[in-house]
């Protein structure tokens, strides 16, 4: 495993992180989830990601139980806050009340005294940014959070967060968690430049486009038996990825991977890690074998010629 610094901080995270969206506590049985986390740890992955909203807290419980056997200083643990966790008017968003209460609920489920990274899971237009950042800054000063992050914020929102933190002398965010893959590249135009300017790294999610960039889906078989596409708990975001145009691109990318004698998923991960602004790529897995496969992408270095060929396909 290789490690990269997280933005302008001194924290180092593995180039592959393990996430838990749509898997742990939901579509993956607990024993298999724990085995997957243990395999990731043994392979040198030190960065583990979850969120309070994933399976309404059940994901955090699984991650917390699996990691509790390891020394707390040996891994980086992240969770998030924003989405509704109840039916009350204050059970959502980034208000001081919701952030404060949800962090403590997450710590209890994760069986830990602090989280390394706490993400604002989305931007909250109903709460002033200074209220949110001041709350997180207070929690950092209390030692319950080490680093602040955001997820899926626009370049303008990230710029606002940096300016607000500097104005009030608050801890800056050091990481953004966006959707980024060969098939989802919106961050390249504005988000990456703004983040690089301010020393903010990316830990990107869905690098394999929810499994589409593993090569298991094709024009002739859009829902292979046992795949995510056949799982109603996990396939709600896949429809727009299984178009004829996208699957034709995937087929061509598979040809490049075959030439390089690597899997398509390894090619996809190596392509993401070519970006200096990316600290880690966040993969999901339902079984240990998938982690064993994906971490090999760290060892792949793509030549400029290969990157240009990929660019032609993705146009």
């Amino acid at each position: 495993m290789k490690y990269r610094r997280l933005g302008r901080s001194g924290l180092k995270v593995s180039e592959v992180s393990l996430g838990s969206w749509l898997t742990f506590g939901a579509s993956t049985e607990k024993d298999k989830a724990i085995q997957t986390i243990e395999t990731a740890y043994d392979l040198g992955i030190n960065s583990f990601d979850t969120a309070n909203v994933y399976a309404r807290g059940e994901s955090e419980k699984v991650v917390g139980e699996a990691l509790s056997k390891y020394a707390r200083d040996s891994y980086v643990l992240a969770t998030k806050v924003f989405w509704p966790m109840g039916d009350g008017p204050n059970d959502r968003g980034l208000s001081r009340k919701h952030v404060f209460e949800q962090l403590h609920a997450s710590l209890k489920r994760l069986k830990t005294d602090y989280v390394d990274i706490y993400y604002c899971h989305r931007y909250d237009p109903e709460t002033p940014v200074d209220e949110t950042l001041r709350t997180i800054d207070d929690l950092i000063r209390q030692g319950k959070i080490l680093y602040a992050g955001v997820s899926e914020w626009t370049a303008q929102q990230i710029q606002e967060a940096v300016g607000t933190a500097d104005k009030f002398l608050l801890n800056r965010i050091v990481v953004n968690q966006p959707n980024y893959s060969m098939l989802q590249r919106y961050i390249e135009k504005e988000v990456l430049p703004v983040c690089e300017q301010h020393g903010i790294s990316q830990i990107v999610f869905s690098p394999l486009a929810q499994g589409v960039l593993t090569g298991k889906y094709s024009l002739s078989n859009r829902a292979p038996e046992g795949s995510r596409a056949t799982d109603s708990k996990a396939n709600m975001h896949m429809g727009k990825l299984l178009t004829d145009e996208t699957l034709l691109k995937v087929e061509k990318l598979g040809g490049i991977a075959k030439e390089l004698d690597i899997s398509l998923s390894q090619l996809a991960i190596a392509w993401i890690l070519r970006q200096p602004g990316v600290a880690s790529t966040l993969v999901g897995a339902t079984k240990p074998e998938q982690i064993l496969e994906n971490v090999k992408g760290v060892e792949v270095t793509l030549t400029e010629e290969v990157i240009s060929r990929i660019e032609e396909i993705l146009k």
Side-chain angles (χ1 to χ4, degrees):
M1 183 52 62
K2 299 177 183 178
Y3 303 86
R4 296 185 182 184
R5 278 182 60 203
L6 192 67
R8 62 194 292 272
S9 79
L11 184 66
K12 293 182 180 179
V13 293
S14 48
E15 290 188 345
V16 172
S17 298
L18 180 63
S20 57
W21 179 46
L22 300 177
T23 53
F24 304 156
S27 62
T28 306
E29 61 182 50
K30 181 178 176 180
D31 289 347
K32 188 67 72 173
I34 290 176
Q35 289 175 21
T36 302
I37 293 170
E38 291 172 344
T39 298
Y41 186 91
D42 290 342
L43 289 169
I45 289 176
N46 78 337
S47 176
F48 298 88
D49 181 275
T50 186
N52 62 347
V53 74
Y54 296 166
R56 278 293 180 96
E58 293 303 311
S59 174
E60 288 181 322
K61 290 179 182 178
V62 173
V63 171
E65 180 177 339
L67 292 176
S68 64
K69 69 184 69 176
Y70 304 116
R72 183 62 185 86
D73 60 3
S74 68
Y75 58 87
V76 175
L77 179 60
T79 192
K80 311 178 187 74
V81 61
F82 171 78
W83 295 107
M85 290 296 287
D87 299 325
N90 292 308
D91 290 337
R92 65 201 68 206
L94 297 177
S95 69
R96 184 175 185 87
K97 178 176 175 61
H98 189 62
V99 170
F100 181 88
E101 291 172 348
Q102 285 305 308
L103 173 67
H104 289 90
S106 290
L107 292 177
K108 185 176 180 180
R109 288 189 291 264
L110 289 165
K111 299 181 178 180
T112 186
D113 296 326
Y114 69 94
V115 291
D116 297 275
I117 302 170
Y118 200 45
Y119 288 99
C120 297
H121 210 161
R122 291 296 186 274
Y123 183 85
D124 182 3
E126 297 186 347
T127 302
V129 169
D130 62 288
E131 176 180 336
T132 301
L133 294 183
R134 191 176 295 282
T135 304
I136 290 175
D137 186 80
D138 287 344
L139 293 165
I140 288 175
R141 293 174 188 275
Q142 292 172 24
K144 296 174 182 178
I145 299 170
L146 301 188
Y147 300 95
V150 298
S151 178
E152 288 284 76
W153 284 31
T154 66
Q156 292 74 21
Q157 291 163 353
I158 291 170
Q159 184 72 56
E160 179 186 3
V162 171
T164 300
D166 289 351
K167 178 180 178 180
F168 294 106
L169 301 179
L170 305 173
N171 278 278
R172 277 189 178 193
I173 60 173
V174 299
V175 59
N176 176 46
Q177 187 178 122
N179 185 345
Y180 185 54
S181 71
M182 288 177 170
L183 303 179
Q184 175 59 273
R185 304 177 62 179
Y186 84 92
I187 67 169
E188 292 179 348
K189 184 177 181 180
E190 295 182 346
V191 172
L192 279 178
V194 166
C195 287
E196 288 174 8
Q197 177 186 352
H198 295 296
I200 299 169
S201 282
Q202 314 297 310
I203 294 183
V204 306
F205 71 88
S206 207
L208 304 181
Q210 298 184 57
V212 175
L213 288 171
T214 64
K216 70 175 68 172
Y217 303 96
S218 66
L219 288 167
S220 60
N221 191 0
R222 296 171 195 262
E225 185 177 352
S227 68
R228 177 177 290 185
T230 63
D231 185 346
S232 60
K233 294 181 180 179
N235 70 2
M236 68 282 289
H237 302 282
M238 291 192 68
K240 61 184 178 181
L241 294 170
L242 297 175
T243 64
D244 290 355
E245 180 183 7
T246 297
L247 291 175
L248 183 58
K249 290 179 180 179
V250 171
E251 184 178 309
K252 293 178 179 178
L253 292 169
I256 292 180
K258 188 174 182 179
E259 288 178 28
L260 298 176
D261 196 28
I262 59 176
S263 69
L264 179 54
S265 61
Q266 290 161 10
L267 178 71
I269 287 171
W271 182 87
I272 285 174
L273 292 175
R274 87 199 190 286
Q275 283 279 13
V278 172
S280 184
T281 177
L282 187 61
V283 301
T286 57
K287 50 189 176 182
E289 293 80 10
Q290 293 172 333
I291 290 295
L292 288 165
E293 169 79 10
N294 292 335
V295 296
K296 295 176 184 176
V298 169
E299 302 300 328
V300 177
T301 300
L302 303 178
T303 65
E304 289 299 323
E305 185 266 337
V306 169
I307 292 173
S308 295
R309 289 175 60 195
I310 291 173
E311 195 64 34
E312 283 298 313
I313 293 171
L314 296 177
K315 281 184 177 179

